[in-house]
């Protein structure tokens, strides 16, 4: 990070904080709160779906736990989630033993179960695409995607969204395969979808961030109805949205060392964050939004992981990584799947907030290539 970049970033953050500290609630904030209440009511009435884990080998014993803190942490409720798994060699391998090869695409960089099939971010005929696959993995169709961008999925696992080249947002109904073109976000050097909020398909929107001259730009909401609008402007940059819309994570302010950024977790519409951290900059919420996994990923990449209570920030389990970490996703409210490099071999490990750990896949050698010593053969699913 150069001095010029740091100066621009600090000025941008501080000017936004001064202008937006006392920003009033908008109509969008009120609608978002109402949607959250409806989702919570549905979640309270929903039953849990048990997930079968196919364990390979014995607990690794290489990921040491350290204690948490003395803040009160509520137990996580059971939440219905799709059967998770991992992708290896172009084939989705679910934890119940099901194997689904994703046909017609290469170099899959992201995937998720959506509706009755799968969505993937991959390459087809040398072009970056988002692809839709049937339940057996056969290719149904593909769409172009904005360079370097990814796709996001909603908390129900029924819809996905991405950006076309030029900034137009596309919403996919995974059950029917039908797509709806929403609004267009213009400007910035790079656009990234961050999440889907609301209840699709009638009353939802896609959260999109823009990279600008200071390293990042504003965050937008691209709704199914109506124009593109600012999304939670009191937050300088939204980076993650909980599946139930109740919490968001993002950049808060420059860190005291003036080199890094402090990140935080907010309730949408609140004037200030619930808690803040000036070390970690990646947040992944659990399916029910009660937990959040955090890490620091810059330079050499992530090397440790903390499982936290989402509302208090209390550390439930801390995981030092021996060599590297390449992706993590929540299996349920108490367990994450993590791709771990240890002693030159990659594994997928299931880790609980109670400190338990079980190897799910591996150990396997890194992929060949320019950075063969750190290239993981495993791709974990894209989280809601």
């Amino acid at each position: 990070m150069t001095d010029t970049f740091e100066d621009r970033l600090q000025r941008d953050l501080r000017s936004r904080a001064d202008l937006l500290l006392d920003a009033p609630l908008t109509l969008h904030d009120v609608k978002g709160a109402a949607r959250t209440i409806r989702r919570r009511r549905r979640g309270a009435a929903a039953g849990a779906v048990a997930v079968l884990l196919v364990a390979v080998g014995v607990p690794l014993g290489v990921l040491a736990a350290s204690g948490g803190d003395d803040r009160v942490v509520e137990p996580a409720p059971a939440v219905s989630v799709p059967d998770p798994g991992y992708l290896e060699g172009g084939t989705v391998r679910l934890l119940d033993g099901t194997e689904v090869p994703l046909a017609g695409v290469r170099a899959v960089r992201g995937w998720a179960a959506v509706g009755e099939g799968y969505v993937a971010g991959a390459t087809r005929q040398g072009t970056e695409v988002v692809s839709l696959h049937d339940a057996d993995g056969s290719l149904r169709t593909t769409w172009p995607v904005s360079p370097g961008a990814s796709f996001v999925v909603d908390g129900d696992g029924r819809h996905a969204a991405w950006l076309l080249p030029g900034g137009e947002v596309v919403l996919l109904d995974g059950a029917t395969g039908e797509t709806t073109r929403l609004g267009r976000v213009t400007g910035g050097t790079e656009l990234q979808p961050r999440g889907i909020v609301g209840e699709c398909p009638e009353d939802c929107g896609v959260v999109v961030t823009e990279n600008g001259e200071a390293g990042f730009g504003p965050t937008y909401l691209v709704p199914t109805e109506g124009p593109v609008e600012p999304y939670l402007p009191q937050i300088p940059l939204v980076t993650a949205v909980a599946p139930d819309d109740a919490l968001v994570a993002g950049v808060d302010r420059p860190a005291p060392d003036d080199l890094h950024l402090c990140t935080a977790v907010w309730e949408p519409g609140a004037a200030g964050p619930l808690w803040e951290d000036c070390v970690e900059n990646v947040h992944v919420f659990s399916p029910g939004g009660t937990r959040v996994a955090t890490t620091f990923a810059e330079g050499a990449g992530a090397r440790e992981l903390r499982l936290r209570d989402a509302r208090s920030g209390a550390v439930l389990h801390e995981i030092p990584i021996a060599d590297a970490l390449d992706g993590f996703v929540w299996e349920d409210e108490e367990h994450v799947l993590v791709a771990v490099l240890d002693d030159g071999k990659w594994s997928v490990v299931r880790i609980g907030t109670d400190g338990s750990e079980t190897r799910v896949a591996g150990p396997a050698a890194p992929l060949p290539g320019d950075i063969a010593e750190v290239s993981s053969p495993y791709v974990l699913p894209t989280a809601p």
Side-chain angles (χ1 to χ4, degrees):
M1 186 180 290
T2 66
D3 291 339
T4 302
F5 173 79
E6 292 167 15
D7 293 341
R8 291 201 305 267
L9 180 58
Q10 291 175 45
R11 287 196 301 271
D12 185 70
L13 281 170
R14 288 167 180 159
S15 64
R16 290 184 189 204
D18 292 341
L19 291 171
L20 300 170
L21 184 61
D22 297 321
L25 288 176
T26 65
L27 177 60
H28 166 68
D29 297 328
V30 176
K31 289 174 66 179
R35 287 194 293 263
T36 297
I37 292 171
R38 291 198 299 271
R39 281 179 173 241
R40 284 176 174 169
R41 287 174 177 169
R42 279 206 318 273
V49 174
V51 177
L52 174 65
L53 173 70
V54 180
V56 179
V58 296
L60 298 178
V62 299
L63 306 180
S66 62
D69 54 35
D70 57 0
R71 284 175 285 187
V72 176
V73 178
E74 295 293 332
V79 176
S80 299
V81 295
D83 188 2
Y86 57 92
L87 182 139
E88 181 184 13
T91 296
V92 172
R93 306 181 191 278
L94 301 181
L95 298 187
D96 65 359
T98 302
E99 295 188 356
V100 183
L102 299 183
V105 294
R106 302 180 59 187
V108 177
R109 61 188 180 276
W111 67 276
V114 178
E116 299 300 321
Y118 298 90
V119 167
T123 301
R124 180 170 171 80
Q125 298 177 347
T127 301
E128 289 187 4
V129 298
V130 167
S131 56
L132 175 63
H133 302 260
D134 291 325
D136 63 357
S138 58
L139 180 64
R140 187 185 300 186
T141 188
T142 64
W143 299 269
V145 64
S146 180
S150 58
F151 67 89
V152 291
V153 296
D154 65 2
D156 295 331
R158 298 176 182 175
H159 299 83
W162 63 93
L163 290 98
L164 298 174
E168 189 175 16
V169 175
V170 174
L171 180 69
L172 167 71
D173 185 325
T176 65
E178 296 180 354
T179 58
T180 303
R181 294 195 175 194
L182 310 184
R184 184 188 304 272
V185 179
T186 59
T189 57
E190 183 179 328
L191 300 171
Q192 282 287 350
R194 298 291 184 174
I196 300 174
V197 297
E199 297 187 29
C200 292
E202 292 84 7
D203 185 21
C204 69
V206 181
V207 177
V208 177
T209 58
E210 170 192 322
N211 282 0
E213 292 184 358
F216 60 83
T219 304
Y220 302 99
L221 179 69
V222 184
T224 51
E225 295 183 6
V228 176
E229 60 184 82
Y231 181 71
L232 304 180
Q234 71 271 29
I235 303 174
L237 176 71
V238 173
T239 57
V241 181
D244 65 354
D245 304 349
L247 298 173
V248 297
V251 172
D252 188 16
R253 60 182 177 86
D257 63 8
D258 283 335
L259 294 175
H260 301 90
L261 297 172
C262 294
T263 59
V265 169
W266 286 263
E267 287 183 315
L274 294 173
W275 56 274
E276 182 186 72
D277 184 278
C278 293
V279 175
E280 296 170 318
N281 57 10
V282 177
H283 299 70
V284 176
F285 288 99
S286 63
T290 65
R291 305 289 190 242
V292 64
T294 63
T295 190
F296 177 81
E298 286 183 13
R303 298 179 60 86
E304 60 185 11
L305 186 69
R306 292 178 179 87
L307 309 183
R308 301 174 180 265
D309 178 79
R311 288 191 167 272
S312 70
V315 177
L316 307 174
H317 183 51
E318 184 172 346
I319 308 158
I321 301 299
D323 296 322
L325 178 156
D326 185 42
F328 52 92
V329 64
W330 287 90
E331 178 185 342
D332 53 36
E333 294 304 288
E334 301 293 354
H335 301 89
V336 293
L337 297 181
V338 187
V340 177
L341 177 67
D342 180 61
D343 196 24
K345 300 287 187 178
W346 284 97
S347 297
V348 177
V349 184
R350 180 182 190 254
I351 299 174
T353 56
D354 61 357
S356 61
E357 57 183 57
T358 308
R359 195 199 315 267
V360 173
L367 293 175
D370 295 337
I371 51 173
E373 69 277 7
V374 296
S375 298
S376 172
Y378 305 113
V379 180
L380 298 180
T382 298

